Amino acid sequence: MSAEPHTESIPILTIDGPSGSGKGTISRAVAQRLGWHYLDSGALYRAIGVAAGWADADLSDHSALMRLAFGTRIEFQTHGEGEPRVIVDGIDATDELRTETAGAAASAIAAIPEVRAALFEKQRAFLQPPGLVADGRDMGTVIFPEARYKVFLTASAVERAERRYKQLKDKGLEVRMADLLREIQARDARDAQRAVAPLKPAPDAITMDTTAVPIDAVVNRVLALLPVQSSL
Ligand code: DC
């Protein structure tokens, strides 16, 4: 995909927030309703985490990880409303990307400035007409600060752990709530405290708490922020 020039007029909606805040589901639904492109930036960090595992790379070797971030081919294949398949260097890694191991590797890798810099252009390249919904942690603050529409989603840590518990249970995996809650709290702390692009709302973002709010209601609240389609 080629980004810029002439991208100034393309509308951007950024949806940032911690894991389990409903970002992915809500961003995908909103992108679908608008007919806009969708960037799952977390999947890029997860893909580098998975590629690092395949290459047996040391997570403390920043230059090796930077090379992986530049060199790994990451493609998204969309099929209808479902989660897009993620192809990493030609291999369908969608299921591996969703594991706790990949999430933990992504969170560690995401704290490395060289990796974030390497992924900058890859993310900007998603800015294509007719519009973009960008989902992540720093979409409204660092990658698309010029976005016209910015949302920051939150939910209590307990609710987020419960959502994750249900997802894993549905996949037939045995997990303990207490472990999930502890992992979520540790990941939140790491994502919020890192020196580079920490998880925080952009000053011009609208914060929405999704605790106990059904997905459809959040989708409608987000869509209500945008002017009617014809005037976008
Ligand atoms: O949204 P997710 O759970 O798929 O993200 C995985 C990790 O990647 C998360 O711990 C933080 C990191 N990440 C990031 O630092 N910046 C982004 N824009 C997206 C994800």
Side-chain angles (χ1 to χ4, degrees):
M1 263 191 247
S2 68
E4 285 128 308
H6 308 311
T7 52
E8 301 84 13
S9 58
I10 304 173
I12 309 170
L13 164 66
T14 59
I15 302 188
D16 288 306
S19 47
S21 58
K23 270 178 313 138
T25 312
I26 289 156
S27 304
R28 271 198 311 279
V30 169
Q32 178 100 19
R33 291 268 284 272
L34 294 168
W36 288 6
H37 296 278
Y38 166 55
L39 164 61
D40 175 1
S41 60
L44 298 180
Y45 288 94
R46 286 172 182 268
I48 305 305
V50 164
W54 292 347
D56 221 1
D58 187 334
L59 293 188
S60 63
D61 184 347
H62 291 194
S63 47
L65 294 170
M66 182 185 68
R67 280 195 302 278
L68 277 176
F70 272 117
T72 304
R73 262 187 310 118
I74 308 164
E75 297 152 69
F76 293 88
Q77 291 180 352
T78 314
H79 308 278
E81 286 191 17
E83 243 182 278
R85 306 300 297 177
V86 189
I87 315 297
V88 180
D89 281 338
I91 297 165
D92 188 333
T94 317
D95 296 334
E96 194 173 346
L97 245 58
R98 291 294 138 216
T99 60
E100 296 303 310
T101 313
S107 172
I109 281 172
I112 303 170
E114 294 90 333
V115 170
R116 302 199 75 86
L119 291 180
F120 182 82
E121 287 303 334
K122 278 199 209 286
Q123 295 175 85
R124 291 287 311 182
F126 280 78
L127 183 49
Q128 298 283 329
L132 174 68
V133 178
D135 147 3
R137 303 289 194 288
D138 62 342
M139 297 296 98
T141 49
V142 177
I143 309 297
F144 300 107
E146 79 276 32
R148 217 176 301 160
Y149 314 104
K150 298 185 185 181
V151 172
F152 191 84
L153 293 182
T154 59
S156 72
V158 170
E159 166 121 356
R160 289 186 286 127
E162 278 167 2
R163 288 177 187 170
R164 188 79 190 126
Y165 181 81
K166 193 173 169 310
Q167 267 176 0
L168 295 172
K169 211 64 189 178
D170 288 348
K171 283 190 189 162
L173 297 169
E174 262 321 304
V175 278
R176 286 168 21 141
M177 251 309 279
D179 293 340
L180 285 179
L181 184 57
R182 214 176 16 252
E183 275 165 29
I184 281 189
Q185 285 165 332
R187 175 110 68 96
D188 281 357
R190 198 162 48 224
D191 291 345
Q193 286 158 18
R194 68 179 176 224
V196 50
L199 173 65
K200 62 163 195 235
D204 49 348
I206 293 181
T207 297
M208 292 183 191
D209 189 332
T210 70
T211 310
V213 185
I215 295 286
D216 282 358
V218 185
V219 168
N220 286 332
R221 269 193 219 168
V222 172
L223 286 169
L225 297 176
L226 310 186
V228 282
Q229 274 299 81
S230 56
S231 58
L232 280 171

